[in-house]
Amino acid sequence: MSMFNFLVRRIIYSVFVLLGLSIVIFLIARVMPGDPARMAVGARAPQWVVDRLREQMHLNEPIYVQYGYWLGDAVRGDFGLSLITQRPVTTDIKEFFPASLELVLFSGMLSAFGGIGLGILSARYKDTWIDNIVRLFSYAGIVTPSFVFAILFILLFGFTLNWLPIIGRVSENTAVPPLVTGLITIDALLAGQFATFIDALKHLILPSLSLAMGSIAQEARITRSSMADNLGKDYIASERALGIPEKLVMGRFLLKPSLIPTISILGLDIASTFSVAFLVELVFNWPGLARYGMSAMLNKDLNGISAVILVLGTVFVIVNIIVDIIVAKLDPRIRLS
């Protein structure tokens, strides 16, 4: 099977996954206690206002008709008004999603380079003191929540050493670049504001590192385990018997097949970071989508909850497709199967 057919098949599957997710989101929003129209206008609004909104929201129609209207609006990007901000939910998503995306992308880069690098180092020096230190770090990083790292980093690098900022995306006296992508670091580079880029990068370090610590530990453990397992394979012994240098064996012949499980788990970790980052965003006062989604849940903002869950589901689907493509490139047998 060609890569194009493989990709088309994965996209078709993903459309059905998102469709199923939309049905689940809609049903949950409808079976939750309370009248969505009453919740939207408030408890003090007169009944005629509620009745008119129910007509506009098609709440008097059968549930399958309601879903059809809701899905059509969702496809057009219309999720209604947010009870928290009193703005269109789409506007809120456009404002908060880039902040989370920037944080997750930077965290993902730290996870990839840090986790794979430590895993290679641990496998290269298997059963030595270096391996033991990496394994100890892996166990500690996996069991420690990200918000604990966030608090520790704030106390150490923010207050004690005063090396890095701990609040927001940029400093108060820093000029914010014109909005292009919503990612301040990218927008600052596009606008030639290098001082703003450095300031935004400093603000990214602590929250992204807090989110990445668990993933770094996870990827290091998986990479080390996979490489250690492949070290005992016959093809590695044959390459060593042929006199191929050890660095070439480790870098070209051992690392590539060993990265397949690491890449798979890394993709899931990056996607899940969007949904589990709300505590870190709260600690660092980061205006991200996870924090907005948690506020929507606490305030029973059904429109906000539906939009956030659908966006996160889309992120998972896209990341899984990217991971499948990378894994298929690493091992063509997976694509052909």
Side-chain angles (χ1 to χ4, degrees):
M1 182 182 296
S2 66
M3 176 60 72
F4 176 77
N5 293 334
F6 174 78
L7 184 59
V8 169
R9 186 179 64 177
R10 291 293 290 112
I11 292 176
I12 293 174
Y13 290 163
S14 300
V15 170
F16 284 103
V17 169
L18 290 177
L19 185 63
L21 178 62
S22 69
I23 295 175
V24 173
I25 294 171
F26 176 80
L27 292 178
I28 291 177
R30 289 299 180 265
V31 302
M32 287 182 66
D35 185 354
R38 172 61 69 179
M39 294 172 64
V41 299
R44 297 184 179 181
Q47 185 60 38
W48 66 270
V49 175
V50 178
D51 293 338
R52 186 174 67 178
L53 184 59
R54 287 184 61 85
E55 288 291 336
Q56 294 175 356
M57 298 176 65
H58 309 284
L59 295 178
N60 297 325
E61 303 284 347
I63 191 156
Y64 59 87
V65 177
Q66 296 181 37
Y67 172 73
Y69 281 112
W70 179 86
L71 182 61
D73 291 338
V75 170
R76 293 192 299 269
D78 182 8
F79 293 96
L81 293 177
S82 170
L83 300 180
I84 304 174
T85 62
Q86 295 301 316
R87 300 186 305 178
V89 174
T90 305
T91 302
D92 293 336
I93 297 297
K94 290 179 180 178
E95 177 180 337
F96 296 117
F97 180 74
S100 288
L101 179 62
E102 186 173 38
L103 182 62
V104 170
L105 288 178
F106 200 77
S107 173
M109 288 190 292
L110 293 177
S111 301
F113 289 107
I116 294 175
L118 287 177
I120 294 173
L121 184 67
S122 181
R124 177 67 178 82
Y125 298 98
K126 183 181 177 183
D127 296 329
T128 65
W129 64 271
I130 296 177
D131 182 27
N132 293 332
I133 291 177
V134 174
R135 292 169 66 185
L136 181 62
F137 164 78
S138 300
Y139 296 140
I142 291 173
V143 301
T144 306
S146 57
F147 72 90
V148 174
F149 286 115
I151 295 173
L152 291 176
F153 291 158
I154 286 177
L155 293 176
L156 178 59
F157 299 107
F159 289 107
T160 304
L161 299 176
N162 197 25
W163 285 355
L164 295 168
I166 60 175
I167 296 296
R169 301 179 70 185
V170 291
S171 302
E172 292 183 359
N173 57 350
T174 301
V176 179
L179 182 64
V180 178
T181 65
L183 311 181
I184 293 183
T185 50
I186 303 298
D187 291 346
L189 289 177
L190 293 176
Q193 300 178 0
F194 298 105
T196 302
F197 170 77
I198 297 298
D199 184 74
L201 195 61
K202 289 181 178 179
H203 281 78
L204 268 172
I205 292 176
L206 291 186
S208 59
L209 186 59
S210 302
L211 285 174
M213 289 298 290
S215 183
I216 290 174
Q218 178 93 310
E219 314 319 325
R221 185 180 66 85
I222 293 175
T223 303
R224 185 261 181 199
S225 177
S226 181
M227 292 187 69
D229 181 62
N230 287 331
L231 274 172
K233 298 293 179 65
D234 292 339
Y235 73 93
I236 296 295
S238 300
E239 289 159 358
R240 285 175 169 172
L242 292 173
I244 299 176
E246 188 68 16
K247 290 184 178 180
L248 189 59
V249 172
M250 295 288 293
R252 176 178 297 181
F253 301 106
L254 178 62
L255 181 60
K256 186 176 179 179
S258 300
L259 284 181
I260 293 177
T262 303
I263 296 298
S264 301
I265 299 300
L266 178 62
L268 293 177
D269 286 343
I270 292 175
S272 63
T273 302
F274 277 97
S275 56
V276 302
F278 62 93
L279 283 176
V280 172
E281 291 181 352
L282 183 63
V283 170
F284 289 97
N285 195 27
W286 194 269
L289 185 66
R291 184 179 175 185
Y292 171 78
M294 183 55 60
S295 299
M297 292 180 186
L298 294 177
N299 291 278
K300 296 183 179 180
D301 184 357
L302 298 183
N303 292 335
I305 294 172
S306 301
V308 170
I309 294 177
L310 198 57
V311 168
L312 294 180
T314 304
V315 168
F316 266 94
V317 167
I318 293 175
V319 170
N320 279 327
I321 292 176
I322 295 174
V323 168
D324 286 343
I325 293 174
I326 295 175
V327 170
K329 286 292 185 180
L330 292 175
D331 189 350
R333 295 174 300 174
I334 296 177
R335 183 172 71 251
L336 292 175
S337 64

